[in-house]
Structure formats: C-alpha cells, structure tokens
C-alpha cells in the first residue's frame, strides 16, 4: 500500500481548495492532512520525516529545507466586544500602547516599542484560544493574523485591522533531500499549475538548505502578493488613510 502523503499546516491556514484539486488529480493517493499544534516546530517535523510538506508561518529555520513564500496576512487586534477598540474600523499599534497585551511582547515587537511603562499584571503562558477567552473578559488584547482571529472567533469578541505591525507570512516548506514526486505535484497545485503543465526546472523550488536566494513566487519588490495561483487568502492591502471611528473615544494609546 502506498504510504499516505503527510501534509501539516499552521492554524488558520485553509488548504481545502488545494486538497480538493489533489483528490481530483491523484484519486489513488491519500493525503494525511492535519493542523499543527501550538508549540510544534514544523522545521523539526519536516527534518524528522514526520510530514512530507507543510504550510508554515515565516520565518522558520530553513536548515535542510526548501521554502516558498506564498502570501501575507493582515494583522488584527482581538478585544472584547465592549472594548473601545470595537468603535474603530482600523487602528495603529500606537493606539494600543496602554493596553495589556495577552501574549509575549516578543511576538509583537512593534507593540513593545511603543508600549507605555505603566505596571501590568504578570501573565502565564496561554494558548491562543485561552488568550481570546481572557480578551473577551476585557482584561486585555492580543494581536494575531486575521485567519487565526477568525478561527478562534467568539460572539463576545471583535477583531480590527492594526497598522504598524508586520504581517504574518505563510510559506510552503519541505525537506531539501526528499525526492518524493508527490511533493512536486502538490507544489504545482498550490502554485496554480495545470495538470498538463511542466514544472519548469528545479530552480523554481525556491530557497535551498542555506536559506539563501530568491524563490519562484517572491516578487522583485520583496512583498508577498498574488501568489499560488490566487489560491491562498487575499494578500495584505497597502496602508491607506485611517478611517473614522464608529463612535466616540479612542483606545488607551497615544493621543
């Protein structure tokens, strides 16, 4: 029996469209697809052979891997429905300078750079789901990619786009020495190649074991854009003028 093709993907990534195309093209080849648990190191899983290919959030340790950047997600702030954040269509990270961040400041260095020095309660480690539950109580906010906010959405929280924070880039990674032809088939599906099209040479695969060089899907200006045959989520839009608030007041940031 053919060994299943093992695919892993970061929370929030939705590979359904690509898996449907795979099923149509490769009906006799099963796929073992599963979401990565929080705390999983996808690079280590790939190098150990636990999975064949993975959708990962960049950056990752590229040692021994090929990586193709695919798209960038909009960062959003998650807060209680009654929080002042809910009054706005969009905020800047400086507007959140006085808030309690319900995650390690190292995960959002842009917030750490503008945060006020007022005393804040000590926080223990939490999963994203737990942090969203705490945010729902009004005790603080967290900043995550849009797809993660949607994944953990509750009726008692809202999420709003936040500028001044680097977007979360999603990429496709696999082991550089893995010659399984199914990997190239899956890459072709993600990149929008038709069943009859050719791969076009090994240089297209992207970054090698040393993590250097441009990838076939990375545009010249370095920004992630319309990648993977438009199969992924919509690319992060350019920064536009600030919209007016929905109501009075401003979150507890700078004025």
């Amino acid at each position: 029996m053919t060994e299943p093709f093992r695919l892993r993907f970061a929370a929030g990534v939705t590979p359904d469209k690509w898996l449907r195309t795979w099923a149509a093209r490769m009906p006799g080849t099963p796929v073992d697809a599963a979401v990565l648990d929080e705390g999983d190191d996808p690079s280590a899983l790939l190098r150990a052979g636990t999975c064949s290919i993975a959708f990962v959030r960049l950056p990752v340790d590229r040692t021994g891997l090929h990586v193709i950047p695919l798209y960038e997600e909009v960062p959003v702030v998650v807060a209680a429905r009654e929080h002042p954040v809910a009054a706005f269509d969009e905020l800047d990270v400086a507007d959140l300078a006085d808030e309690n961040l319900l995650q390690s400041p190292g995960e959002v260095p842009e917030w750490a750079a503008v945060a006020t020095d007022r005393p804040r309660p000590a926080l223990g480690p939490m999963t994203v789901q737990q942090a969203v539950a705490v945010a729902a109580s009004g005790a603080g906010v967290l900043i995550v990619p849009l797809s993660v906010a949607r994944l953990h959405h509750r009726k008692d929280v809202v999420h709003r786009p936040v500028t001044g924070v680097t977007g979360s880039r999603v990429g496709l990674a696999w082991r550089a020495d893995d010659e399984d032809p199914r990997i190239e088939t899956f890459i072709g599906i993600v990149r929008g190649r038709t069943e009859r099209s050719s791969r076009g040479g090994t240089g297209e695969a992207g970054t090698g074991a040393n993590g250097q060089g441009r990838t076939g899907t990375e545009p010249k200006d370095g920004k992630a854009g319309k990648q993977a045959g438009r199969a992924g989520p919509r690319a992060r839009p350019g920064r536009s003028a600030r919209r007016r608030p929905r109501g009075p007041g401003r979150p507890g940031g700078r004025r």
Side-chain angles (χ1 to χ4, degrees), residues 55-87:
F55 289 99
V56 299
R57 294 197 180 277
L58 304 177
V60 294
D61 178 3
R62 300 189 177 199
T63 304
L65 304 178
H66 284 309
V67 180
I68 298 175
L70 297 175
Y71 57 86
E72 182 176 298
E73 284 195 79
V74 174
V76 299
V77 55
V78 179
R81 185 166 292 278
E82 296 78 18
H83 193 283
V85 160

Side-chain angles (χ1 to χ4, degrees), residues 74-75 77 85-93 95 159-164 236-246 250-251:
V74 174
V77 55
V85 160
F88 295 85
D89 292 319
E90 181 184 81
L91 300 100
D92 186 82
V93 66
D95 299 324
H159 59 264
R160 299 287 184 262
V162 57
T163 61
R236 183 183 182 186
R239 183 169 179 175
S240 58
R242 186 75 54 79
R243 298 178 182 175
R244 293 183 179 180
R246 300 181 178 185
R250 193 76 179 156

Side-chain angles (χ1 to χ4, degrees), residues 165-209:
V165 175
T166 303
S168 174
R169 293 200 304 158
V170 173
L172 191 62
W174 67 99
R175 208 170 68 243
D177 62 356
D178 193 337
E179 299 182 353
D180 187 337
R182 296 176 297 182
I183 291 176
E184 296 306 330
T185 300
F186 191 78
I187 293 168
I189 289 172
V190 172
R191 300 186 69 174
R193 289 197 293 265
T194 64
E195 190 170 4
R196 296 182 180 180
S197 63
S198 63
R199 182 172 179 271
T202 56
E204 184 183 57
T207 308

